[in-house]
Amino acid sequence: MEQTPMEPQATESTAEKQPDVLTLDLVPYAMENLTRFYRNHEATDLAYRLCNKIERDADRFEPYAIGALTRHFFPDDGETEAMTKFCKAASELSDELIRFGASERDRMKAEKQRLNPVISIACRRRMSIDTEISDIPKKIKASEAEMQRRRDVLASVGVTGDDLERLAPFPDNSGLLAEREEVEAEDKIISAFFATFDERVFPPGYTEKHAIKEWRSQNPLPAIP
């Protein structure tokens, strides 16, 4: 027996206004956008919260609410036909979200594995930079203290004026100050990398140069007999 269409009866105007069926056309992230989203802990935390809420709420859904949705999407069909169409569309939507999410997760995992050597170098370089920056004031202080000791020795034997300045001038620390500016700028580049996982922030050859330096430090040349 043919099912009676649900109220209200379809008219030409309601048919024209019928909502689109549940469909998605998800486009994969560009890698730089994928890594930016991965690093956005606030956004990903909100997404996880929504996933958990949907999982908790699923057992509380009632068939009546699902029926109301079917009338919204398929107002011109009978109840069983509308429910069949809606369930099929909703299942396909769910499957597509799961498939797409798994695909993007695997892409991010592969990208992290590819970047692991770069991440390791950047981590070790950052620790070295912290040490270098903290050592520069110590070097300046030690240099000035050593020169002051020499000046005191010379002054104690009567050397003064221009002779003292010529024999024991105060050290020029401009080189150390420039070195500090250089490593601080490098530290900012490393911070930009960790914020984006975009290795293009590094100057050309940066990671290769430091990889070679690390290898040489771990594999010194044998001493010449």
Side-chain angles (χ1 to χ4, degrees):
M1 180 177 178
E2 184 177 355
Q3 289 182 324
T4 303
M6 294 183 294
E7 297 294 338
Q9 295 290 335
T11 64
E12 183 178 351
S13 60
T14 59
E16 291 175 355
K17 296 179 180 179
Q18 179 173 326
D20 293 333
V21 180
L22 296 174
T23 57
L24 280 181
D25 185 17
L26 297 176
V27 179
Y29 284 96
M31 185 53 67
E32 59 187 279
N33 295 335
L34 180 62
T35 54
R36 184 175 66 245
F37 178 74
Y38 172 81
R39 297 292 298 173
N40 188 335
H41 300 301
E42 183 177 0
T44 53
D45 181 63
L46 288 171
Y48 278 120
R49 287 173 183 266
L50 176 60
C51 292
N52 291 334
K53 185 180 188 318
I54 292 173
E55 184 178 7
R56 292 194 308 269
D57 292 348
D59 289 338
R60 299 168 60 194
F61 290 157
E62 293 288 347
Y64 311 106
I66 305 300
L69 279 176
T70 65
R71 291 200 305 273
H72 175 74
F73 283 98
F74 305 100
D76 301 330
D77 296 316
E79 291 178 351
T80 302
E81 182 181 1
M83 185 64 73
T84 299
K85 288 181 179 179
F86 179 80
C87 288
K88 180 176 183 296
S91 295
E92 291 174 350
L93 172 64
S94 178
D95 291 343
E96 174 60 13
L97 285 171
I98 293 171
R99 183 205 63 77
F100 182 85
S103 175
E104 295 301 276
R105 179 199 61 211
D106 291 345
R107 288 181 64 216
M108 189 66 241
K109 181 179 179 181
E111 180 68 0
K112 287 173 64 179
Q113 289 177 342
R114 186 186 72 82
L115 287 174
N116 271 342
V118 180
I119 293 171
S120 297
I121 288 173
C123 286
R124 290 192 293 271
R125 184 60 192 136
R126 165 157 281 176
M127 289 188 290
S128 297
I129 285 174
D130 290 342
T131 301
E132 290 175 20
I133 291 176
S134 63
D135 282 349
I136 286 174
K138 298 174 185 177
K139 291 179 180 179
I140 291 175
K141 186 176 180 179
S143 175
E144 291 177 345
E146 172 61 20
M147 188 54 66
Q148 186 61 54
R149 186 190 66 78
R150 291 180 60 185
R151 290 171 68 90
D152 290 344
V153 170
L154 291 171
S156 68
V157 295
V159 179
T160 60
D162 292 342
D163 289 335
L164 180 61
E165 296 303 325
R166 177 174 57 82
L167 294 172
F170 279 109
D172 179 5
N173 295 314
S174 59
L176 288 171
L177 296 175
E179 179 184 338
R180 182 172 65 184
E181 290 181 359
E182 183 178 334
V183 293
E184 285 175 345
E186 183 181 352
D187 190 58
K188 289 181 180 179
I189 292 174
I190 294 174
S191 295
F193 168 71
F194 282 122
T196 62
F197 279 163
D198 186 351
E199 60 192 319
R200 293 175 297 180
V201 300
F202 291 118
Y206 177 87
T207 54
E208 292 83 353
K209 178 183 73 175
H210 287 288
I212 292 171
K213 287 176 66 176
E214 289 182 2
W215 185 89
R216 286 177 175 170
S217 66
Q218 297 166 7
N219 299 272
L221 293 174
I224 299 176

